[in-house]
Amino acid sequence: DQQVKQNSPSLSVQEGRISILNCDYTNSMFDYFLWYKKYPAEGPTFLISISSIKDKNEDGRFTVFLNKSAKHLSLHIVPSQPGDSAVYFCAASLNTDKLIFGTGTRLQVFP
Amino acid sequence: DSGVTQTPKHLITATGQRVTLRCSPRSGDLSVYWYQQSLDQGLQFLIQYYNGEERAKGNILERFSAQQFPDLHSELNLSSLELGDSALYFCASSVERIAGAHEQYFGPGTRLTVT
């Protein structure tokens, strides 16, 4: 049972435009959500997180939105840069430190 | 550089063998987590240790075991290896959960290939 889903395996965006990565979850008890970025041959790198009591968190070019009623979160990257090309994972936690990851979305930012 | 180190980087072994993967957490982090990433899959949580004690268990096979030592480094032991155990194994560490601190910091991973 996949509790955290990233239904788009890939996304291609032009440099300077907005990248929107989506994530859906099934467990309404999740209390924290995180986004990680992963380059090939490296471990995931923490990007940004949001508590379930908030609906938006912003850090520079990265903004995460949480819609609890729809059990949906999204990561917006504005403006997108070629260095943002990577695989992005969303993750959720439930009262523990265990993270449940989605399967990832490969973002490609082209010039 | 996350500050989490993992050795070895690559490991190739045969079916039926046993291997040990090693992880050193970031300085000051008491929790260590192990994750498995198979081809085209997300990261699957295996097990968590906190200050030497097992804290949480995920989808970890009985052939797999882990421990965390007094110096806080951790080892993941995989035995009776099967072809399907070929995967990337990541270690992560974090501070104890304080005021919503959930971020885990990942090492570079160990790529295990079972032939």
Side-chain angles (χ1 to χ4, degrees):
Chain A
D1 178 28
Q2 191 72 24
Q3 296 188 64
V4 178
K5 299 178 184 179
Q6 293 177 258
N7 293 317
S8 298
S10 64
L11 176 67
S12 190
V13 173
Q14 188 173 29
E15 180 179 5
R17 307 294 289 267
I18 184 171
S19 294
I20 300 176
L21 297 104
N22 295 303
C23 181
D24 297 298
Y25 60 94
T26 57
N27 192 334
S28 58
M29 299 303 290
F30 284 140
D31 63 346
Y32 218 79
F33 302 89
L34 305 89
W35 284 95
Y36 282 81
K37 178 170 74 172
K38 186 180 180 305
Y39 293 118
E42 295 183 12
T45 302
F46 170 72
L47 206 53
I48 192 169
S49 62
I50 187 168
S51 166
S52 62
I53 63 173
K54 297 186 175 181
D55 55 19
K56 178 182 175 181
N57 188 27
E58 193 171 353
D59 183 1
R61 297 187 298 114
F62 302 92
T63 303
V64 56
F65 295 92
L66 176 61
N67 181 334
K68 288 186 287 294
S69 61
K71 296 191 183 69
H72 177 83
L73 69 155
S74 60
L75 175 68
H76 293 209
I77 306 174
V78 183
S80 300
Q81 300 173 354
D84 296 329
S85 297
V87 178
Y88 289 78
F89 292 95
C90 68
S93 73
L94 174 62
N95 295 326
T96 70
D97 296 306
K98 178 177 78 170
L99 294 180
I100 301 171
F101 283 84
T103 52
T105 296
R106 183 178 303 276
L107 173 66
Q108 183 179 8
V109 180
F110 60 92
Chain B
D1 184 357
S2 66
V4 178
T5 60
Q6 289 186 248
T7 55
K9 198 170 179 68
H10 300 278
L11 200 47
I12 301 174
T13 189
T15 54
Q17 296 298 305
R18 172 190 168 94
V19 296
T20 298
L21 312 184
R22 183 188 169 105
C23 168
S24 292
R26 293 187 317 161
S27 176
D29 285 356
L30 299 178
S31 277
V32 170
Y33 312 79
W34 287 96
Y35 291 86
Q36 178 193 55
Q37 185 184 21
S38 301
L39 189 65
D40 293 332
Q41 296 292 314
L43 286 81
Q44 300 292 322
F45 170 73
L46 295 178
I47 197 164
Q48 178 201 358
Y49 276 81
Y50 172 75
N51 203 22
E53 299 289 329
E54 182 183 304
R55 171 70 65 90
K57 220 167 183 177
N59 299 323
I60 188 167
L61 299 172
E62 286 191 10
R63 301 184 285 109
F64 296 0
S65 65
Q67 54 186 327
Q68 186 180 27
F69 295 87
D71 67 352
L72 300 177
H73 92 271
S74 178
E75 293 181 356
L76 179 67
N77 301 296
L78 315 177
S79 61
S80 302
L81 284 168
E82 301 175 359
L83 295 177
D85 297 328
S86 296
L88 274 167
Y89 290 85
F90 289 103
C91 167
S93 73
S94 73
V95 299
E96 171 66 335
R97 179 183 168 129
I98 299 173
H102 291 244
E103 293 81 12
Q104 296 179 18
Y105 296 87
F106 284 77
T110 293
R111 180 174 292 279
L112 173 66
T113 302
V114 182
T115 62

